[in-house]
Amino acid sequence: MNRPGEPTVEALMARIAALQAQNRQLTERVVKLEEELALARLHRFAPKSEKHIDRLFNEAEQAADEDAADNEDGGVVVLPDTGLPASEGATGKKRGRKALPENLPRERVEYDLPDDQKACPCCRHQMHRMGEAVTEQLHIEVKAKVLQNVRFKYACRHCDRTGINTPLVTAPMPAQPLPGSIATASTLAFALVHKYVDGTPLYRLAQAFERAGVPVSRGALGHWMIGSSEKHLARIYDVLKLRLR
């Protein structure tokens, strides 16, 4: 029985729940501010030799101007004929767009004329295909998909009919990088590269997953980072440490 003036149990539980929610919000804000502070320190105290044009609003304009300057013709001095063998540096540096790497897979996309346009515009006879013009473009596509791990189960029909117990055997799965997690090795690599190579804070990474239609909380991303470090990256770190020593 509550004394007069004392809060009830329901009121205390509601107050505790409100305080816990407020504590979670403050914790998330502290983590966000710490990440922003670390990023600001990195931007301020990074070596001056590194170019941080990626932090500027006019990055596209600057990059386009630099590319145009690199691709300009000129800069090659024509030397008089001296009768001596030509040196390798006399031809100048080749300019222009670099070819795409040969090791990348190629996908052929064909574009053909409609049948009504295959008649000769001069004599109206049917034209034949004499060749093709091939141009290459770089196509990068990031897709999110769900892997359904189907493990087949087996049982003995004879034991099912005649025996007391029917043993069940389920096909095993390969070892997973983080057991019990929804993230595959590819997903973990994607998140780790964006976090530690590109310097993307976790809340921005969570926003990137959200834009891709995959709601992943910042807490889950944090567990991915910690679990990957403890189970895998720590062993690589120990080996590198021993090798350097």
Side-chain angles (χ1 to χ4, degrees):
M1 183 175 181
N2 295 330
R3 297 180 181 178
E6 292 184 353
T8 61
V9 177
E10 291 78 7
L12 290 175
M13 296 299 295
R15 186 179 300 178
I16 291 174
L19 291 176
Q20 289 177 347
Q22 184 179 5
N23 186 27
R24 286 194 298 268
Q25 294 178 357
L26 293 176
T27 302
E28 292 178 357
R29 180 170 178 80
V30 167
V31 173
K32 178 180 178 181
L33 292 176
E34 288 179 350
E35 292 179 348
E36 291 179 351
L37 178 60
L39 187 61
R41 287 177 176 174
L42 177 64
H43 174 67
R44 180 177 180 182
F45 299 107
K48 300 300 181 181
S49 60
E50 297 182 359
K51 296 182 179 180
H52 295 282
I53 61 174
D54 55 335
R55 309 297 173 92
L56 303 177
F57 290 105
N58 59 343
E59 173 194 1
E61 288 78 3
Q62 287 189 359
D65 293 341
E66 292 176 0
D67 183 71
D70 291 340
N71 292 333
E72 287 180 355
D73 294 333
V76 179
V77 180
V78 179
L79 299 178
D81 186 10
T82 60
L84 298 176
S87 61
E88 296 181 356
T91 57
K93 181 181 178 181
K94 287 187 178 181
R95 301 180 184 274
R97 182 181 299 171
K98 296 181 179 179
L100 295 175
E102 294 293 337
N103 60 337
L104 292 179
R106 259 67 174 176
E107 180 181 351
R108 185 180 175 91
V109 182
E110 297 181 349
Y111 302 93
D112 198 0
L113 290 174
D115 293 336
D116 57 351
Q117 297 182 12
K118 293 181 180 180
C120 177
C122 180
C123 64
R124 307 309 300 174
H125 282 76
Q126 190 74 9
M127 294 188 297
H128 70 282
R129 188 171 65 182
M130 57 169 293
E132 58 187 18
V134 180
T135 57
E136 291 188 342
Q137 292 178 309
L138 180 62
H139 179 71
I140 299 177
E141 186 176 3
V142 179
K143 288 185 178 180
K145 64 181 179 181
V146 178
L147 295 181
Q148 292 183 338
N149 300 305
V150 181
R151 304 167 60 193
F152 292 107
K153 297 181 178 180
Y154 291 87
C156 179
R157 293 187 182 274
H158 178 72
C159 292
D160 191 13
R161 291 192 301 265
T162 61
I164 299 177
N165 296 325
T166 302
L168 297 177
V169 180
T170 304
M173 281 183 58
Q176 299 298 307
L178 291 182
S181 174
I182 63 172
T184 63
S186 177
T187 305
L188 294 176
F190 176 84
L192 289 169
V193 168
H194 277 275
K195 170 61 179 175
Y196 295 109
V197 179
D198 299 334
T200 304
L202 292 183
Y203 75 94
R204 291 185 183 177
L205 188 56
Q207 293 173 356
F209 276 98
E210 186 71 25
R211 287 192 298 270
V214 185
V216 179
S217 65
R218 188 171 55 185
L221 292 174
H223 286 298
W224 292 358
M225 303 298 162
I226 297 174
S228 300
S229 300
E230 293 178 348
K231 293 181 177 296
H232 307 289
L233 300 182
R235 294 185 292 177
I236 300 177
Y237 170 80
D238 294 337
V239 173
L240 290 175
K241 189 175 181 180
L242 292 175
R243 184 178 181 86
L244 290 175
R245 287 183 175 181

